[in-house]
Amino acid sequence: MIAAAAVIGLFVLDKAVIGPLTNLWKNRAKEIDYLTKDVTKGRQLVEREKMLRDRWEEMKMRALQEDRSAAESEIFTSIDDWSRSARLKTSRIIPNWRDEDDHSKLSFRVEATGDMEAVMRFLYDLDGEQMALRLDTLDLGRLDQRGPNLALDLTLSGLELPKEQ
């Protein structure tokens, strides 16, 4: 009977005291590990603060102008310059503004034709541009079976950031 009572006592001790304490210990160890990683990430951000702030300032400078017509005009002019430089014939340029919660996005759909050299030169000029433009889509197709003419259909987008408060 003493042995049975000891076994039952050990079972109750395991289920009522040791088990919950072990689970509590494991949960606290996970929380400590999470907090340690969070503090490490915070320290890294503090160490990189100057670089991140400089990068943000550069991004703000490259963003689209607040005046929408001036922003459209600037991109129209750039697309025209790139296409003339590349000898690419643009047939259609369509702007489209989309307002989001914390920013606005200006997309341009550009349709053009030219040979491979003209297309490559246009894309090279676009890539070297200082404005914060992103190439969203690019479709390249052949206009005729034997000719060197290609059809280029691409979508560019740029951000208009809100004023800082």
Side-chain angles (χ1 to χ4, degrees), residues 137-157:
T137 63
L138 173 74
D139 292 324
L140 192 60
R142 199 166 54 180
L143 286 178
D144 50 15
Q145 291 295 333
R146 297 197 174 162
N149 289 332
L150 299 173
L152 175 68
D153 186 2
L154 60 89
T155 305
L156 299 171
S157 64

Side-chain angles (χ1 to χ4, degrees), residues 54-70:
D54 291 346
R55 178 75 173 131
W56 177 245
E57 289 300 319
E58 181 184 337
M59 290 172 68
K60 286 192 317 187
M61 287 176 50
R62 290 183 177 193
L64 297 178
Q65 299 177 24
E66 291 179 27
D67 180 16
R68 288 188 169 191
S69 62

Side-chain angles (χ1 to χ4, degrees), residues 5-56:
V7 168
I8 291 174
L10 287 174
F11 181 74
V12 169
L13 180 68
D14 180 50
K15 293 296 179 189
V17 177
I18 296 174
L21 286 176
T22 304
N23 288 338
L24 182 66
W25 184 269
K26 287 179 184 177
N27 289 339
R28 293 261 168 96
K30 287 180 185 177
E31 188 175 343
I32 289 170
D33 186 45
Y34 171 77
L35 292 173
T36 303
K37 289 178 183 176
D38 201 29
V39 167
T40 302
K41 189 186 293 185
R43 283 187 182 140
Q44 289 172 346
L45 282 173
V46 168
E47 290 170 1
R48 296 178 27 212
E49 178 185 16
K50 182 178 179 346
M51 189 240 350
L52 292 172
R53 288 192 186 276
D54 291 346
R55 178 75 173 131
W56 177 245

Side-chain angles (χ1 to χ4, degrees), residues 42-127:
R43 283 187 182 140
Q44 289 172 346
L45 282 173
V46 168
E47 290 170 1
R48 296 178 27 212
E49 178 185 16
K50 182 178 179 346
M51 189 240 350
L52 292 172
R53 288 192 186 276
D54 291 346
R55 178 75 173 131
W56 177 245
E57 289 300 319
E58 181 184 337
M59 290 172 68
K60 286 192 317 187
M61 287 176 50
R62 290 183 177 193
L64 297 178
Q65 299 177 24
E66 291 179 27
D67 180 16
R68 288 188 169 191
S69 62
E72 282 184 26
S73 176
E74 183 179 10
I75 295 177
F76 269 121
T77 302
S78 295
I79 291 172
D80 187 49
D81 290 346
W82 302 330
S83 60
R84 270 192 280 121
S85 168
R87 297 180 320 275
L88 191 70
K89 295 175 193 88
T90 53
S91 57
R92 200 163 28 162
I93 302 173
I94 305 168
N96 180 27
W97 281 97
R98 280 189 292 183
D99 293 323
E100 303 288 333
D101 292 337
D102 58 348
H103 67 278
S104 296
K105 181 178 179 181
L106 173 60
S107 296
F108 274 86
R109 181 163 180 222
V110 179
E111 295 177 5
T113 58
D115 60 6
M116 180 60 85
E117 182 181 340
V119 170
M120 296 305 293
R121 177 64 191 203
F122 180 83
L123 294 175
Y124 178 80
D125 289 344
L126 169 65
D127 185 48

